[in-house]
């Protein structure tokens, strides 16, 4: 990097035409230096020469039009909403644009001004734009010489597209020659990418949309290539530094285990087991993420791996986020493991002192070879004789530190994290990109997909009647609510109220309730009673979300489903449909067809594919919120959008990983260039390059 004052790290405020005030606005966009400004890339482009004449617009069209303001006005509607209107005219005709609740606009529009309006054409007496986005174009058209393509930038209030263009023009004029090339000639040639300076020039002042998009793609590739390079290097170093023990399958314990299994493994389970055993059999440490939808049978896969560790005279630990889950994992398998000599035990916060002491001694001496538990496993007093494998269930519930704490109890144990939250592929390629990934993409046979329906509140009686029938047939039901106490503000039905109502609606049935403010022992007790069929209906908050297994439950009613994200709804629904009988998920909505949330619920009702739901979730919420690259110790992405640019991502990843495979230390002369770029890009942030 060049020295301050003159280089790309010159603060934007020193650019001609940008003082402290405008610099503060730019800072809101994350732009502090000239370099960052140059890499602030338009979201899209509008080609003026291709826009429709106003006369030809049809209702439903999503368009951008150019015209002059023929008249402006403001008034209140019948419902007392502020409305600002503006009549836009081009050579062919006129259209009205209106904005609700934006009284500030009144003073911004002037008759005769040129304006660009983008939005959907609707019909209200006549053709109209409602709350469209717009840009006022400068009267003295100083950019008339720059062609018909208008870049649309991510902007902030008070900083117009024209401010942006002017700043860009100045910055390019003075600083473009300082921008260093970052991709090798080979890559540029291979993808036919423009060099960096041409790319930036075309991105900001394009002659045509195609070449602008080409330029953008180059920057996207560039950014993702270096991100993936960091991941590839990290993974490489994991393998080198963390030399573990070779744990190979002998069959001593796994054979009797397989004989005792009441089912045969699915093909997906077999495949994943062999992927895991492949890792464990090598000297390097396993570092693997196992993804499998709820009910896909992750536990048996983990047990298999744990037994392999035990066969090698090592110990294996499985940590679950809650006591309920730890106990469930343990109990479900205690029978099967009973006469296999691993002395499997469970350790949680409520394990009694005497037993706890005995378990700790057993772990330290090596006589307890397999341990299940909660956070209790990472407490100070817990010592292992030889911990060979750590399994963490529902990994998103644990922080990085907690995982590390358990790993540190062994000498570089193999590591398997499991999650039932399907992670979109784009994320497994980025924030989880330094882990190996296994996927259980097949459910055990005989499961019927849960039937899901969005039902209006008004049909509650019908639904209750249906539940009554199911209970009569020996089945059970969940009723799930988003919170536990009445909040007038949010107008939610609280669990307590729902519980009381359910008791009234089902006078002859046994209704129970669990929520997050109960003691976990009390909650566990109730869950147990439900599992033992001593309760017919369980009213619950989202505490039942993770992993709980009640095969008899076939109905789930979700109150206020619009309050839940897709991923969470999916987790909830995964609690039913675990047996052989048909299951039903009912989403109660007060008013059907309510904008974004109704699209979301409809999508949810239409698929049980967790990955499809995860992708959709990311699409709806945007990757930014979910991505959190910083948290994962990775750089922010400025240009690339991993959803939109997923093809480039895949390509860049392949290229980066291949490069590291061929030249792990980046020491070949032809890669010197990449090495320098990597270093300069992370200068001052070397910690990002270090092993995670
Ligand atoms: P999850 O992936 O949600 O943790 P579990 O491991 O709890 O799923 O498995 C769900 C249920 O499916 C358990 O009751 C388990 O015994 C059963 N199961 C697992 N694998 C198979 C299989 N191959 N065939 C039949 N049932 C299976
Ligand atoms: Mg599980």
């Amino acid at each position: 990097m060049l020295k301050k004052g003159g280089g790309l790290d010159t603060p934007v405020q020193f650019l001609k035409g940008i003082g402290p005030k405008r610099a503060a606005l730019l800072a809101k966009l994350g732009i502090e230096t000239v370099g960052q400004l140059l890499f602030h890339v338009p979201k899209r482009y509008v080609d003026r020469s291709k826009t429709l004449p106003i006369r030809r617009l049809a209702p439903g069209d999503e368009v951008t039009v150019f015209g002059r303001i023929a008249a402006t006005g403001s008034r209140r509607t019948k419902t007392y909403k502020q409305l600002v209107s503006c009549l836009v005219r081009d050579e062919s005709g006129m259209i009205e644009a209106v904005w609700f609740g934006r009284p500030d606009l009144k003073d911004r529009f002037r008759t005769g001004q040129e304006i660009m309006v983008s939005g959907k054409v609707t019909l209200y007496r006549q053709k109209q734009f409602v709350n469209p986005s717009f840009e006022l174009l400068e009267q003295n058209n100083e950019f008339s010489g720059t062609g018909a393509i208008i870049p649309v930038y991510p902007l902030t209030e008070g900083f117009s597209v024209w401010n942006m263009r002017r700043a860009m023009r100045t910055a390019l004029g003075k600083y473009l020659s300082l921008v260093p090339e970052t991709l090798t000639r080979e890559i540029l040639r291979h993808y036919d990418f423009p060099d960096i300076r041409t790319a930036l020039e075309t991105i900001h002042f394009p002659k045509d949309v195609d070449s602008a998009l080409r330029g953008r793609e180059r920057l996207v590739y560039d950014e993702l290539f270096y991100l993936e390079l960091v991941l590839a290097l990290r993974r490489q170093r994991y393998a080198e530094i963390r030399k573990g023990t070779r744990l190979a399958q002998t069959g001593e314990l796994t054979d009797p285990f397989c004989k005792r299994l009441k089912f045969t493994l699915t093909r997906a389970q077999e495949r994943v087991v062999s992927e895991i055993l492949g890792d464990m059999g090598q000297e390097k440490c396993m570092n693997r993420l196992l993804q499998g939808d709820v009910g896909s049978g992750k536990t048996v896969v983990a047990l298999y791996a744990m037994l392999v560790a035990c066969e090698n005279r090592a110990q294996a630990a499985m940590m679950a986020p809650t006591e309920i889950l730890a106990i469930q994992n343990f109990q479900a398998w205690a029978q099967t493991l009973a006469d296999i000599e691993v002395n499997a035990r469970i350790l949680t916060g409520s394990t009694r002192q005497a037993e706890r002491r005995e378990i700790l001694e057993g772990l330290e001496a090596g006589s307890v070879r397999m341990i299940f538990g909660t956070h209790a496993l990472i407490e100070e007093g817990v010592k292992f004789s030889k911990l060979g494998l750590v399994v963490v269930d529902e990994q998103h519930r644990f922080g990085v530190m907690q995982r590390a704490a358990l790993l540190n109890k062994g000498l570089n144990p193999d590591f398997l994290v499991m999650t039932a939250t399907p992670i979109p592929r784009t994320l497994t390629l980025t924030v989880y990109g330094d882990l190996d990934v296994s996927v259980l993409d097949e459910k055990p046979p005989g499961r019927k997909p849960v039937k899901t329906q969005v039902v209006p509140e008004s049909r509650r009686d019908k639904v209750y009647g249906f539940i009554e029938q199911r209970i009569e047939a020996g089945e059970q039901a969940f009723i799930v609510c988003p919170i536990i106490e009445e909040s007038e503000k949010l107008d939610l039905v609280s669990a307590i109220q729902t519980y009381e109502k359910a008791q009234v609606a089902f006078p002859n049935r046994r209704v129970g309730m669990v929520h997050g403010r109960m003691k976990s022992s009390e909650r566990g007790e109730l869950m147990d009673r439900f599992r033992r069929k001593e309760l017919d209906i369980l009213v619950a908050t989202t505490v039942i979300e993770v992993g709980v297994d009640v095969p008899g439950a076939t109905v789930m009613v979700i109150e206020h489903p619009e309050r839940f994200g897709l991923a969470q709804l999916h987790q909830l629904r995964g609690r039913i449909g675990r047996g052989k009988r048909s299951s039903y998920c009912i989403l109660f909505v007060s008013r059907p067809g309510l904008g974004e949330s109704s699209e979301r619920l409809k999508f949810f009702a239409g698929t049980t594919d967790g990955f499809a739901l995860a992708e959709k979730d990311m699409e709806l919420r945007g990757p930014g919120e979910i991505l959190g690259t910083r948290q994962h110790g990775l750089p922010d992405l400025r240009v690339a959008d991993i959803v939109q640019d997923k093809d480039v991502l895949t390509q860049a990843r392949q290229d980066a990983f291949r490069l590291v495979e061929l030249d792990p230390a980046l020491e070949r002369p032809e890669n010197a260039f990449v090495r320098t770029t990597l270093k300069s890009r992370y200068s001052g942030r070397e910690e990002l390059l270090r092993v995670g």
Side-chain angles (χ1 to χ4, degrees), residues 513-538:
M513 170 169 69
V514 291
H515 57 71
R517 305 225 182 134
M518 277 175 166
K519 270 202 238 116
S520 95
S521 54
E522 199 182 343
R523 205 161 61 210
E525 170 61 28
L526 272 155
M527 288 302 307
D528 267 346
R529 286 178 55 200
F530 190 53
R531 202 168 9 223
R532 290 197 303 263
K533 289 208 166 175
E534 291 168 23
L535 294 171
D536 304 305
I537 297 175
L538 191 68

Side-chain angles (χ1 to χ4, degrees), residues 501-689:
K501 276 194 202 152
Q503 280 177 317
V504 176
F506 299 96
N508 306 319
R509 302 299 174 193
R510 298 158 301 177
V511 185
M513 170 169 69
V514 291
H515 57 71
R517 305 225 182 134
M518 277 175 166
K519 270 202 238 116
S520 95
S521 54
E522 199 182 343
R523 205 161 61 210
E525 170 61 28
L526 272 155
M527 288 302 307
D528 267 346
R529 286 178 55 200
F530 190 53
R531 202 168 9 223
R532 290 197 303 263
K533 289 208 166 175
E534 291 168 23
L535 294 171
D536 304 305
I537 297 175
L538 191 68
V539 177
T541 58
T542 48
V543 290
I544 57 152
E545 187 187 337
V546 172
V548 174
D549 201 1
V550 184
T554 57
V555 183
M556 175 174 285
V557 169
I558 302 182
E559 306 280 352
H560 296 282
E562 71 282 354
R563 303 265 172 213
F564 296 100
L566 278 177
Q568 208 180 10
L569 284 171
H570 182 63
Q571 286 292 313
L572 287 169
R573 184 170 58 182
R575 301 299 114 234
I576 55 171
R578 302 199 133 211
K580 291 207 161 49
R581 280 177 281 200
S582 296
S583 297
Y584 307 86
C585 178
I586 294 140
L587 310 171
F588 271 132
V589 292
S590 45
R591 280 169 295 168
L594 212 72
E596 186 266 336
S597 75
S598 113
E599 184 200 341
R600 194 155 43 101
L601 297 181
K602 222 170 22 202
F603 188 85
F604 177 71
T607 182
T608 52
D609 177 345
F611 284 95
L613 286 163
E615 296 282 352
K616 184 75 175 179
D617 205 23
M618 187 143 118
E619 209 178 280
L620 290 173
R621 288 160 62 195
E625 197 180 317
I626 304 174
L627 194 56
T629 37
R630 273 276 164 85
Q631 264 164 274
H632 290 84
L634 294 170
D636 291 333
L637 297 176
R638 293 187 139 299
V639 184
D641 169 332
I642 58 166
V643 174
Q644 194 188 322
D645 301 316
K646 50 172 180 269
D647 295 342
V648 185
L649 172 64
T650 312
Q651 194 61 60
R653 180 174 172 91
Q654 254 176 36
D655 295 348
F657 273 68
R658 211 181 122 70
L659 189 107
V660 170
E661 197 183 303
L662 295 174
D663 184 12
L666 304 184
E667 56 197 1
R668 291 196 192 165
E670 69 269 27
N671 292 331
F673 180 80
V674 173
R675 192 192 165 96
T676 335
T677 306
L678 191 67
K679 282 216 165 123
S680 83
R681 202 167 280 198
Y682 292 95
S683 89
R685 298 191 297 167
E686 279 81 5
E687 80 281 359
L688 296 183
L689 293 176

Side-chain angles (χ1 to χ4, degrees), residues 156-397:
T156 182
E157 192 69 37
F159 203 88
S160 72
V161 71
W162 305 100
N163 294 143
M164 189 60 88
R165 299 203 84 188
R166 202 175 301 124
M168 239 17 128
R169 185 34 91 213
T170 319
L172 282 174
K174 199 157 167 212
Y175 294 91
L176 187 61
S177 61
L178 297 179
V179 178
E181 182 52 68
T182 47
L183 293 178
T184 60
R185 226 175 270 148
E186 196 196 336
I187 288 177
L188 292 179
R189 203 173 320 124
H190 184 260
Y191 293 108
D192 196 20
F193 282 148
D195 66 77
I196 186 84
R197 293 176 196 163
T198 311
L200 286 173
E201 177 80 43
T202 355
I203 281 170
H204 296 300
F205 293 92
K207 303 262 178 310
D208 59 88
V209 175
D210 279 354
S211 59
L213 294 180
R214 226 31 227 140
R216 179 181 177 279
E217 193 177 328
R218 188 228 122 103
L219 294 196
V220 168
Y221 177 92
D222 192 324
E223 192 168 63
L224 295 172
F225 176 80
Y226 282 97
L227 171 73
E228 292 297 337
L229 199 61
V230 171
L231 291 166
L233 289 168
R234 255 194 212 179
R235 179 141 85 165
Q236 182 75 26
R237 276 170 221 171
Y238 261 132
E240 270 169 24
I241 295 171
R242 299 184 43 218
K243 279 245 166 19
T245 319
R246 191 185 299 261
L247 301 171
Q249 184 177 21
T250 68
E252 184 191 333
L253 304 174
T254 40
D255 286 349
F257 177 74
C258 289
K259 281 211 195 83
R260 301 213 49 173
L261 271 184
K262 292 193 200 83
F263 48 77
T264 47
L265 296 183
T266 61
R267 260 169 315 163
Q269 282 169 324
E270 299 244 358
R271 190 189 66 236
V272 171
V273 163
S274 76
E275 282 164 3
I276 291 171
L277 298 194
D279 284 0
M280 290 175 73
Q282 290 180 32
E283 203 169 53
K284 68 166 204 187
C285 274
M286 169 164 74
N287 206 18
R288 189 170 281 277
L289 172 71
L290 170 54
Q291 295 191 60
D293 222 333
V294 278
S296 60
K298 294 184 289 297
T299 324
V300 66
V301 169
L303 280 174
Y304 204 103
M306 290 168 84
L307 287 167
V308 170
C310 297
E311 284 177 350
N312 288 269
R313 303 283 164 264
Q315 293 161 298
M318 184 192 290
M319 182 162 69
T322 65
E323 190 157 359
I324 297 183
L325 286 176
I327 294 172
Q328 182 179 292
N329 283 342
F330 181 70
Q331 280 178 349
W333 294 95
Q335 276 282 305
T336 319
L337 292 171
D339 41 294
I340 295 175
E341 296 203 358
V342 288
N343 193 11
R345 304 298 290 268
I346 176 161
L347 183 68
T348 70
S350 41
T351 306
R352 269 181 315 230
Q353 266 310 317
E355 193 185 353
R356 179 182 145 88
R357 202 169 314 125
E358 189 220 329
I359 291 174
L360 293 193
E361 277 167 20
L363 283 174
E364 192 160 4
S367 60
V368 173
R369 291 156 76 188
M370 191 183 278
I371 184 87
F372 294 81
T374 55
H375 299 76
L377 290 177
I378 57 180
E379 279 165 22
E380 194 126 335
V382 184
K383 296 198 182 73
F384 288 83
S385 126
K386 188 185 175 199
L387 180 58
L389 171 67
V390 166
V391 180
V392 172
D393 199 5
E394 310 297 347
Q395 61 87 29
H396 63 287
R397 291 290 180 109

Side-chain angles (χ1 to χ4, degrees), residues 12-234:
V12 275
Q13 123 171 42
F14 299 130
L15 266 185
K16 208 174 126 230
I18 296 200
K21 230 161 134 195
R22 286 197 170 143
L25 291 175
L26 284 174
K28 282 194 200 159
L29 295 167
I31 301 171
E32 278 162 9
T33 66
V34 171
Q36 288 166 344
L37 177 66
L38 289 177
F39 282 85
H40 187 63
V41 165
K43 282 185 298 199
R44 61 191 177 92
Y45 295 92
V46 176
D47 186 343
R48 255 186 114 146
S49 66
K50 293 212 178 109
T51 53
L52 278 176
I54 287 172
R55 187 173 46 82
R56 301 241 319 266
L57 299 181
D61 287 352
E62 292 260 7
V63 288
T64 298
V65 296
F66 288 84
R68 286 191 187 281
I69 297 178
T72 68
S74 72
R75 59 178 187 271
R76 278 188 186 279
T77 64
K78 268 187 246 147
T79 51
Y80 295 99
K81 276 198 267 184
Q82 266 283 351
L83 179 151
V84 172
S85 68
C86 166
L87 202 57
V88 181
R89 188 212 311 261
D90 71 3
E91 308 82 64
S92 73
M94 285 197 283
I95 185 167
E96 190 184 38
V98 299
W99 289 265
F100 290 97
R102 292 283 312 268
D104 59 298
L105 294 181
K106 200 169 64 186
D107 303 323
R108 291 185 57 194
F109 297 139
R110 292 199 206 324
T111 312
Q113 226 170 2
E114 205 185 351
I115 189 171
M116 169 175 111
V117 181
S118 306
K120 192 167 174 174
V121 180
T122 54
L123 202 59
Y124 177 75
R125 290 196 210 129
Q126 53 193 354
K127 282 180 279 183
Q128 209 181 40
F129 285 111
V130 179
N131 295 328
S133 61
F134 71 96
E135 277 295 338
L136 291 169
L137 309 187
E138 219 86 322
Q139 274 104 336
N140 58 341
N141 205 340
E142 61 182 284
F143 296 106
S144 53
T146 56
I149 315 293
I150 305 214
V152 181
Y153 288 96
L155 293 172
T156 182
E157 192 69 37
F159 203 88
S160 72
V161 71
W162 305 100
N163 294 143
M164 189 60 88
R165 299 203 84 188
R166 202 175 301 124
M168 239 17 128
R169 185 34 91 213
T170 319
L172 282 174
K174 199 157 167 212
Y175 294 91
L176 187 61
S177 61
L178 297 179
V179 178
E181 182 52 68
T182 47
L183 293 178
T184 60
R185 226 175 270 148
E186 196 196 336
I187 288 177
L188 292 179
R189 203 173 320 124
H190 184 260
Y191 293 108
D192 196 20
F193 282 148
D195 66 77
I196 186 84
R197 293 176 196 163
T198 311
L200 286 173
E201 177 80 43
T202 355
I203 281 170
H204 296 300
F205 293 92
K207 303 262 178 310
D208 59 88
V209 175
D210 279 354
S211 59
L213 294 180
R214 226 31 227 140
R216 179 181 177 279
E217 193 177 328
R218 188 228 122 103
L219 294 196
V220 168
Y221 177 92
D222 192 324
E223 192 168 63
L224 295 172
F225 176 80
Y226 282 97
L227 171 73
E228 292 297 337
L229 199 61
V230 171
L231 291 166
L233 289 168
R234 255 194 212 179

Side-chain angles (χ1 to χ4, degrees), residues 400-416:
V400 180
M401 300 311 290
Q402 291 166 317
R403 275 184 273 162
L406 187 52
L407 281 175
N408 285 333
K409 295 200 179 273
L411 189 68
N412 294 338
D414 281 318
F415 184 41
L416 179 67

